[in-house]
Short mmCIF file of all heavy atoms in Angstrom, two decimals:
data_model
loop_
_atom_site.label_atom_id
_atom_site.label_comp_id
_atom_site.label_asym_id
_atom_site.label_seq_id
_atom_site.Cartn_x
_atom_site.Cartn_y
_atom_site.Cartn_z
N ASP A 1196 -29.30 8.68 72.30
CA ASP A 1196 -29.96 7.39 72.43
C ASP A 1196 -30.34 6.80 71.08
O ASP A 1196 -30.58 5.59 70.96
CB ASP A 1196 -31.17 7.46 73.37
CG ASP A 1196 -32.24 8.42 72.93
OD1 ASP A 1196 -32.11 9.07 71.87
OD2 ASP A 1196 -33.25 8.55 73.66
N ILE A 1197 -30.38 7.62 70.02
CA ILE A 1197 -30.70 7.08 68.70
C ILE A 1197 -29.60 6.15 68.20
O ILE A 1197 -29.79 5.38 67.28
CB ILE A 1197 -30.99 8.18 67.65
CG1 ILE A 1197 -29.75 9.03 67.36
CG2 ILE A 1197 -32.20 9.02 68.07
CD1 ILE A 1197 -29.92 9.98 66.18
N LEU A 1198 -28.43 6.22 68.85
CA LEU A 1198 -27.31 5.37 68.44
C LEU A 1198 -27.44 3.93 68.93
O LEU A 1198 -26.77 3.03 68.43
CB LEU A 1198 -25.99 5.95 68.92
CG LEU A 1198 -25.62 7.32 68.39
CD1 LEU A 1198 -24.37 7.86 69.05
CD2 LEU A 1198 -25.45 7.27 66.87
N TYR A 1199 -28.30 3.69 69.93
CA TYR A 1199 -28.41 2.35 70.48
C TYR A 1199 -29.83 1.83 70.59
O TYR A 1199 -30.03 0.64 70.79
CB TYR A 1199 -27.68 2.25 71.83
CG TYR A 1199 -28.15 3.21 72.88
CD1 TYR A 1199 -29.28 2.97 73.62
CD2 TYR A 1199 -27.42 4.37 73.12
CE1 TYR A 1199 -29.70 3.87 74.60
CE2 TYR A 1199 -27.83 5.27 74.10
CZ TYR A 1199 -28.97 5.02 74.84
OH TYR A 1199 -29.38 5.91 75.79
N GLU A 1200 -30.86 2.67 70.45
CA GLU A 1200 -32.22 2.18 70.52
C GLU A 1200 -32.57 1.36 69.28
O GLU A 1200 -32.11 1.65 68.17
CB GLU A 1200 -33.20 3.34 70.66
CG GLU A 1200 -33.16 4.00 72.03
CD GLU A 1200 -34.25 5.04 72.21
OE1 GLU A 1200 -34.88 5.43 71.21
OE2 GLU A 1200 -34.45 5.46 73.34
N SER A 1201 -33.40 0.33 69.49
CA SER A 1201 -33.77 -0.52 68.34
C SER A 1201 -34.73 0.20 67.39
O SER A 1201 -34.74 -0.09 66.21
CB SER A 1201 -34.40 -1.82 68.83
OG SER A 1201 -35.60 -1.55 69.55
N LYS A 1202 -35.52 1.12 67.91
CA LYS A 1202 -36.41 1.93 67.08
C LYS A 1202 -36.13 3.39 67.36
O LYS A 1202 -36.88 4.05 68.10
CB LYS A 1202 -37.87 1.57 67.36
CG LYS A 1202 -38.24 0.17 66.93
CD LYS A 1202 -39.70 -0.11 67.14
CE LYS A 1202 -39.99 -1.54 66.68
NZ LYS A 1202 -41.40 -1.88 66.87
N PRO A 1203 -35.04 3.92 66.80
CA PRO A 1203 -34.65 5.31 67.10
C PRO A 1203 -35.72 6.31 66.67
O PRO A 1203 -36.43 6.11 65.69
CB PRO A 1203 -33.35 5.50 66.33
CG PRO A 1203 -33.35 4.44 65.29
CD PRO A 1203 -34.16 3.31 65.81
N HIS A 1204 -35.80 7.37 67.43
CA HIS A 1204 -36.82 8.39 67.21
C HIS A 1204 -36.25 9.74 67.64
O HIS A 1204 -35.73 9.85 68.75
CB HIS A 1204 -38.04 8.00 68.06
CG HIS A 1204 -39.14 8.98 68.02
ND1 HIS A 1204 -39.34 9.92 69.02
CD2 HIS A 1204 -40.12 9.19 67.12
CE1 HIS A 1204 -40.39 10.65 68.71
NE2 HIS A 1204 -40.88 10.24 67.57
N ILE A 1205 -36.35 10.72 66.76
CA ILE A 1205 -35.83 12.05 67.11
C ILE A 1205 -36.96 12.96 67.57
O ILE A 1205 -36.86 13.65 68.55
CB ILE A 1205 -35.12 12.70 65.89
CG1 ILE A 1205 -33.82 11.96 65.59
CG2 ILE A 1205 -34.81 14.17 66.19
CD1 ILE A 1205 -33.04 12.53 64.43
N GLY A 1206 -38.06 12.97 66.86
CA GLY A 1206 -39.16 13.89 67.15
C GLY A 1206 -39.04 15.11 66.27
O GLY A 1206 -37.93 15.61 66.04
N THR A 1207 -40.15 15.57 65.74
CA THR A 1207 -40.15 16.70 64.82
C THR A 1207 -39.51 17.94 65.43
O THR A 1207 -38.75 18.64 64.77
CB THR A 1207 -41.60 17.02 64.36
OG1 THR A 1207 -42.09 15.88 63.63
CG2 THR A 1207 -41.65 18.25 63.46
N ASP A 1208 -39.79 18.21 66.72
CA ASP A 1208 -39.26 19.41 67.36
C ASP A 1208 -37.73 19.45 67.34
O ASP A 1208 -37.12 20.46 67.01
CB ASP A 1208 -39.80 19.55 68.78
CG ASP A 1208 -39.56 18.31 69.64
OD1 ASP A 1208 -39.38 17.20 69.07
OD2 ASP A 1208 -39.56 18.43 70.87
N ILE A 1209 -37.10 18.32 67.62
CA ILE A 1209 -35.63 18.25 67.61
C ILE A 1209 -35.11 18.16 66.18
O ILE A 1209 -34.10 18.75 65.85
CB ILE A 1209 -35.13 17.07 68.48
CG1 ILE A 1209 -35.50 17.34 69.95
CG2 ILE A 1209 -33.63 16.87 68.33
CD1 ILE A 1209 -35.25 16.19 70.89
N LEU A 1210 -35.82 17.41 65.33
CA LEU A 1210 -35.39 17.26 63.94
C LEU A 1210 -35.29 18.60 63.24
O LEU A 1210 -34.39 18.84 62.44
CB LEU A 1210 -36.33 16.31 63.19
CG LEU A 1210 -35.90 15.93 61.77
CD1 LEU A 1210 -34.53 15.26 61.78
CD2 LEU A 1210 -36.94 15.01 61.15
N ILE A 1211 -36.19 19.52 63.55
CA ILE A 1211 -36.15 20.86 62.97
C ILE A 1211 -34.83 21.53 63.32
O ILE A 1211 -34.18 22.15 62.45
CB ILE A 1211 -37.37 21.68 63.43
CG1 ILE A 1211 -38.62 21.16 62.70
CG2 ILE A 1211 -37.16 23.17 63.20
CD1 ILE A 1211 -39.92 21.75 63.20
N ASP A 1212 -34.39 21.42 64.57
CA ASP A 1212 -33.10 22.00 64.98
C ASP A 1212 -31.94 21.31 64.27
O ASP A 1212 -30.99 21.97 63.85
CB ASP A 1212 -32.91 21.90 66.49
CG ASP A 1212 -33.88 22.78 67.26
OD1 ASP A 1212 -34.36 23.78 66.69
OD2 ASP A 1212 -34.16 22.47 68.44
N VAL A 1213 -31.99 19.98 64.16
CA VAL A 1213 -30.92 19.22 63.52
C VAL A 1213 -30.77 19.65 62.05
O VAL A 1213 -29.67 19.91 61.58
CB VAL A 1213 -31.19 17.71 63.64
CG1 VAL A 1213 -30.24 16.91 62.74
CG2 VAL A 1213 -31.08 17.24 65.07
N VAL A 1214 -31.90 19.75 61.35
CA VAL A 1214 -31.88 20.16 59.94
C VAL A 1214 -31.32 21.58 59.80
O VAL A 1214 -30.47 21.84 58.93
CB VAL A 1214 -33.29 20.05 59.33
CG1 VAL A 1214 -33.37 20.73 57.98
CG2 VAL A 1214 -33.70 18.58 59.21
N ARG A 1215 -31.76 22.49 60.65
CA ARG A 1215 -31.26 23.86 60.59
C ARG A 1215 -29.75 23.90 60.88
O ARG A 1215 -29.00 24.59 60.20
CB ARG A 1215 -32.00 24.75 61.61
CG ARG A 1215 -31.52 26.21 61.58
CD ARG A 1215 -32.27 27.11 62.56
NE ARG A 1215 -32.36 26.56 63.90
CZ ARG A 1215 -33.48 26.20 64.50
NH1 ARG A 1215 -34.64 26.35 63.88
NH2 ARG A 1215 -33.48 25.70 65.71
N ASN A 1216 -29.30 23.12 61.84
CA ASN A 1216 -27.87 23.08 62.17
C ASN A 1216 -27.05 22.51 61.02
O ASN A 1216 -25.95 22.99 60.74
CB ASN A 1216 -27.63 22.26 63.44
CG ASN A 1216 -28.20 22.94 64.68
OD1 ASN A 1216 -28.46 24.15 64.70
ND2 ASN A 1216 -28.43 22.17 65.73
N MET A 1217 -27.58 21.50 60.34
CA MET A 1217 -26.87 20.95 59.16
C MET A 1217 -26.79 22.00 58.06
O MET A 1217 -25.73 22.17 57.45
CB MET A 1217 -27.57 19.68 58.65
CG MET A 1217 -27.34 18.48 59.54
SD MET A 1217 -28.02 16.96 58.85
CE MET A 1217 -26.83 16.63 57.52
N ARG A 1218 -27.89 22.71 57.83
CA ARG A 1218 -27.87 23.79 56.81
C ARG A 1218 -26.80 24.83 57.15
O ARG A 1218 -26.03 25.22 56.28
CB ARG A 1218 -29.24 24.47 56.75
CG ARG A 1218 -29.23 25.65 55.80
CD ARG A 1218 -30.27 26.75 56.10
NE ARG A 1218 -31.47 26.30 56.71
CZ ARG A 1218 -32.07 26.98 57.69
NH1 ARG A 1218 -31.55 28.09 58.19
NH2 ARG A 1218 -33.21 26.55 58.21
N ASN A 1219 -26.75 25.24 58.40
CA ASN A 1219 -25.78 26.26 58.79
C ASN A 1219 -24.35 25.76 58.60
O ASN A 1219 -23.46 26.53 58.23
CB ASN A 1219 -26.02 26.70 60.24
CG ASN A 1219 -27.30 27.51 60.37
OD1 ASN A 1219 -27.77 28.10 59.40
ND2 ASN A 1219 -27.86 27.52 61.55
N GLU A 1220 -24.11 24.47 58.83
CA GLU A 1220 -22.76 23.90 58.63
C GLU A 1220 -22.42 23.86 57.13
O GLU A 1220 -21.29 24.16 56.75
CB GLU A 1220 -22.68 22.51 59.23
CG GLU A 1220 -21.30 21.89 59.15
CD GLU A 1220 -20.24 22.59 59.99
OE1 GLU A 1220 -20.57 23.47 60.82
OE2 GLU A 1220 -19.05 22.23 59.83
N ILE A 1221 -23.38 23.53 56.29
CA ILE A 1221 -23.16 23.52 54.83
C ILE A 1221 -22.75 24.92 54.38
O ILE A 1221 -21.78 25.10 53.63
CB ILE A 1221 -24.43 23.04 54.08
CG1 ILE A 1221 -24.66 21.55 54.33
CG2 ILE A 1221 -24.33 23.35 52.58
CD1 ILE A 1221 -26.04 21.06 53.95
N ILE A 1222 -23.43 25.92 54.89
CA ILE A 1222 -23.13 27.32 54.54
C ILE A 1222 -21.75 27.70 55.08
O ILE A 1222 -20.93 28.29 54.36
CB ILE A 1222 -24.22 28.26 55.05
CG1 ILE A 1222 -25.54 28.01 54.30
CG2 ILE A 1222 -23.79 29.73 54.93
CD1 ILE A 1222 -26.75 28.65 54.94
N LYS A 1223 -21.47 27.34 56.32
CA LYS A 1223 -20.15 27.63 56.94
C LYS A 1223 -19.02 27.03 56.12
O LYS A 1223 -17.94 27.62 56.01
CB LYS A 1223 -20.14 27.09 58.37
CG LYS A 1223 -18.86 27.28 59.10
CD LYS A 1223 -18.95 26.68 60.51
CE LYS A 1223 -17.57 26.52 61.11
NZ LYS A 1223 -17.62 25.70 62.32
N LEU A 1224 -19.26 25.84 55.51
CA LEU A 1224 -18.24 25.16 54.74
C LEU A 1224 -18.16 25.64 53.29
O LEU A 1224 -17.44 25.07 52.49
CB LEU A 1224 -18.50 23.64 54.77
CG LEU A 1224 -18.32 22.97 56.14
CD1 LEU A 1224 -18.83 21.53 56.10
CD2 LEU A 1224 -16.86 23.02 56.58
N GLY A 1225 -18.91 26.69 52.94
CA GLY A 1225 -18.82 27.26 51.62
C GLY A 1225 -19.98 26.94 50.68
O GLY A 1225 -19.99 27.38 49.54
N GLY A 1226 -20.94 26.19 51.17
CA GLY A 1226 -22.11 25.86 50.35
C GLY A 1226 -23.10 27.01 50.34
O GLY A 1226 -22.99 27.97 51.09
N ASP A 1227 -24.07 26.90 49.46
CA ASP A 1227 -25.12 27.90 49.31
C ASP A 1227 -26.45 27.16 49.35
O ASP A 1227 -26.61 26.13 48.67
CB ASP A 1227 -24.93 28.62 47.96
CG ASP A 1227 -25.88 29.77 47.75
OD1 ASP A 1227 -26.52 30.22 48.70
OD2 ASP A 1227 -25.96 30.23 46.60
N VAL A 1228 -27.39 27.62 50.16
CA VAL A 1228 -28.70 27.00 50.28
C VAL A 1228 -29.75 28.02 49.85
O VAL A 1228 -29.80 29.11 50.43
CB VAL A 1228 -28.97 26.49 51.71
CG1 VAL A 1228 -30.33 25.81 51.78
CG2 VAL A 1228 -27.85 25.55 52.17
N ARG A 1229 -30.53 27.67 48.84
CA ARG A 1229 -31.53 28.59 48.31
C ARG A 1229 -32.93 27.99 48.42
O ARG A 1229 -33.20 26.93 47.87
CB ARG A 1229 -31.24 28.89 46.83
CG ARG A 1229 -29.87 29.50 46.63
CD ARG A 1229 -29.58 29.75 45.16
NE ARG A 1229 -28.18 30.11 44.98
CZ ARG A 1229 -27.63 30.33 43.79
NH1 ARG A 1229 -28.35 30.24 42.70
NH2 ARG A 1229 -26.34 30.63 43.72
N PHE A 1230 -33.78 28.70 49.15
CA PHE A 1230 -35.16 28.27 49.32
C PHE A 1230 -36.06 28.97 48.32
O PHE A 1230 -35.65 29.94 47.67
CB PHE A 1230 -35.62 28.54 50.77
CG PHE A 1230 -34.81 27.78 51.76
CD1 PHE A 1230 -33.85 28.41 52.54
CD2 PHE A 1230 -34.97 26.41 51.90
CE1 PHE A 1230 -33.08 27.70 53.44
CE2 PHE A 1230 -34.20 25.69 52.80
CZ PHE A 1230 -33.26 26.34 53.58
N ASN A 1231 -37.31 28.50 48.24
CA ASN A 1231 -38.26 29.05 47.28
C ASN A 1231 -37.65 29.08 45.87
O ASN A 1231 -37.85 30.02 45.11
CB ASN A 1231 -38.72 30.46 47.70
CG ASN A 1231 -39.37 30.43 49.07
OD1 ASN A 1231 -40.33 29.69 49.30
ND2 ASN A 1231 -38.81 31.18 49.99
N THR A 1232 -36.89 28.03 45.57
CA THR A 1232 -36.14 27.95 44.30
C THR A 1232 -36.44 26.60 43.66
O THR A 1232 -35.86 25.57 44.02
CB THR A 1232 -34.63 28.11 44.56
OG1 THR A 1232 -34.42 29.33 45.28
CG2 THR A 1232 -33.87 28.16 43.26
N GLN A 1233 -37.38 26.62 42.74
CA GLN A 1233 -37.80 25.40 42.05
C GLN A 1233 -37.13 25.29 40.68
O GLN A 1233 -37.10 26.26 39.91
CB GLN A 1233 -39.32 25.41 41.86
CG GLN A 1233 -39.85 24.15 41.20
CD GLN A 1233 -41.35 24.15 41.06
OE1 GLN A 1233 -42.01 25.18 41.25
NE2 GLN A 1233 -41.91 23.01 40.73
N VAL A 1234 -36.56 24.11 40.40
CA VAL A 1234 -35.98 23.88 39.08
C VAL A 1234 -37.13 23.71 38.10
O VAL A 1234 -38.01 22.86 38.30
CB VAL A 1234 -35.04 22.66 39.10
CG1 VAL A 1234 -34.57 22.33 37.69
CG2 VAL A 1234 -33.86 22.91 40.01
N THR A 1235 -37.13 24.54 37.06
CA THR A 1235 -38.23 24.53 36.08
C THR A 1235 -37.82 24.08 34.70
O THR A 1235 -38.67 23.87 33.84
CB THR A 1235 -38.89 25.93 36.03
OG1 THR A 1235 -37.87 26.93 35.87
CG2 THR A 1235 -39.66 26.21 37.30
N ASP A 1236 -36.50 23.93 34.45
CA ASP A 1236 -36.05 23.43 33.15
C ASP A 1236 -34.57 23.05 33.27
O ASP A 1236 -33.88 23.45 34.20
CB ASP A 1236 -36.22 24.49 32.08
CG ASP A 1236 -36.28 23.92 30.66
OD1 ASP A 1236 -36.11 22.69 30.49
OD2 ASP A 1236 -36.48 24.71 29.73
N LEU A 1237 -34.12 22.26 32.31
CA LEU A 1237 -32.73 21.85 32.21
C LEU A 1237 -32.21 22.26 30.84
O LEU A 1237 -32.94 22.18 29.85
CB LEU A 1237 -32.58 20.33 32.30
CG LEU A 1237 -33.10 19.60 33.52
CD1 LEU A 1237 -33.04 18.10 33.27
CD2 LEU A 1237 -32.31 19.96 34.75
N ARG A 1238 -30.97 22.65 30.77
CA ARG A 1238 -30.32 22.87 29.47
C ARG A 1238 -29.34 21.72 29.27
O ARG A 1238 -28.47 21.49 30.11
CB ARG A 1238 -29.60 24.21 29.43
CG ARG A 1238 -28.96 24.48 28.05
CD ARG A 1238 -28.31 25.86 27.98
NE ARG A 1238 -29.31 26.89 28.13
CZ ARG A 1238 -29.13 28.01 28.85
NH1 ARG A 1238 -27.98 28.24 29.46
NH2 ARG A 1238 -30.09 28.91 28.93
N ILE A 1239 -29.50 21.01 28.16
CA ILE A 1239 -28.64 19.89 27.81
C ILE A 1239 -27.83 20.26 26.59
O ILE A 1239 -28.40 20.69 25.58
CB ILE A 1239 -29.47 18.61 27.52
CG1 ILE A 1239 -30.48 18.32 28.63
CG2 ILE A 1239 -28.57 17.43 27.22
CD1 ILE A 1239 -29.88 17.89 29.94
N GLU A 1240 -26.53 20.12 26.67
CA GLU A 1240 -25.64 20.38 25.54
C GLU A 1240 -24.71 19.19 25.38
O GLU A 1240 -24.08 18.77 26.34
CB GLU A 1240 -24.85 21.66 25.75
CG GLU A 1240 -25.71 22.91 25.80
CD GLU A 1240 -24.92 24.18 26.11
OE1 GLU A 1240 -23.70 24.11 26.26
OE2 GLU A 1240 -25.57 25.24 26.24
N ASN A 1241 -24.62 18.67 24.19
CA ASN A 1241 -23.77 17.50 23.91
C ASN A 1241 -24.06 16.34 24.85
O ASN A 1241 -23.15 15.65 25.31
CB ASN A 1241 -22.29 17.88 23.96
CG ASN A 1241 -21.94 18.98 22.98
OD1 ASN A 1241 -22.41 18.95 21.83
ND2 ASN A 1241 -21.15 19.94 23.40
#
């Protein structure tokens, strides 16, 4: 129904599942997802 409602709404409970499913697909496709991983510096060369 989010495809046709004027004010689409998923709800946190369902959104949690959607986000987890997207993560699992990224991993299935060869991606890597790392949590508790904060970028603390950048190395710049040239």
Side-chain angles (χ1 to χ4, degrees):
D1196 60 1
I1197 65 171
L1198 298 174
Y1199 56 81
E1200 288 187 347
S1201 63
K1202 293 184 180 180
H1204 176 261
I1205 292 181
T1207 297
D1208 54 337
I1209 295 172
L1210 187 57
I1211 286 171
D1212 292 336
V1213 169
V1214 168
R1215 181 179 49 245
N1216 292 340
M1217 286 185 74
R1218 175 206 330 139
N1219 289 337
E1220 184 67 10
I1221 291 165
I1222 293 167
K1223 178 181 164 191
L1224 293 170
D1227 186 13
V1228 181
R1229 301 178 190 177
F1230 298 105
N1231 301 304
T1232 306
Q1233 183 178 12
V1234 174
T1235 50
D1236 202 356
L1237 302 172
R1238 182 176 296 140
I1239 309 291
E1240 295 176 2
N1241 301 318

